[in-house]
Each structure stands twice: as C-alpha cells, then as structure tokens.
C-alpha cells in the first residue's frame, strides 16, 4: 500500500488526499484563484492547487496510438520516436 504511505506523508504536510473519488470537473475561481473540484459523490473541494495521480499502469487502449503507427510501451510512454 505505497499509496496509503504517500498519503500519510502528504497529510502530515497539510495535504488532503481522497481515495475512491473521481473528479468530474475542475475549475479556478477567477476572484480568489482557488481551485474547485467537483466530485462524483456530489461534493466540491476548494483548494489552492490540484494534484491528480492517475496510477502506475498505462491506460492507452483507447488512444488510437496504433492508428498513427505508435506502439504503446509498458512504462507509460511510446517505444517509438517521432521526428
């Protein structure tokens, strides 16, 4: 559970970490410059900044990389260089 360990470290720095919740919208209040995150559980989080952790495995199945000749790599990057 490395994620939980990282979360504890971030919590000790005053960072709020939410698991099992998906952001449905992120916007910035033009007056205060605060970030507002609407979530799929109906709550809205008001914060200074947003850090989105997307996971460790690439999710490239629906990107259409094969349509442009780029094979997907196993480490979140393409294995082909494009000039």
């Amino acid at each position: 559970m490395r994620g939980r360990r990282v979360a504890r470290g971030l919590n000790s720095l005053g960072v709020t970490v939410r698991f099992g919740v998906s952001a449905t919208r992120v916007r910035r209040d033009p007056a205060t410059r605060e970030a507002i995150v609407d979530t799929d559980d109906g709550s809205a989080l008001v914060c200074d900044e947003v850090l989105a952790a997307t996971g460790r495995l690439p999710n490239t199945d629906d990107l259409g990389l094969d349509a442009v000749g780029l094979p997907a790599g196993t480490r979140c990057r393409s294995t082909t260089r494009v000039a």
Side-chain angles (χ1 to χ4, degrees):
M1 295 309 270
R2 289 185 181 122
R4 299 284 178 186
R5 216 173 310 158
V6 170
R8 281 194 301 273
L10 290 170
N11 288 150
S12 72
L13 297 172
V15 176
T16 301
V17 178
R18 304 266 316 260
F19 287 100
V21 177
S22 294
T24 57
R25 180 178 176 202
V26 179
R27 61 191 187 283
R28 193 168 290 276
D29 183 307
T32 64
R33 302 301 300 152
E34 293 173 320
I36 303 164
V37 182
D38 297 325
T39 65
D40 62 353
D41 68 1
S43 63
L45 309 171
V46 178
C47 45
D48 297 321
E49 299 297 335
V50 176
L51 170 67
T54 59
R56 296 175 50 185
L57 298 175
N59 186 8
T60 58
D61 292 342
D62 296 329
L63 290 180
L65 295 177
D66 54 335
V68 293
L70 293 175
T74 58
R75 298 186 55 101
C76 300
R77 63 180 176 248
S78 172
T79 58
T80 304
R81 294 183 186 262
V82 178

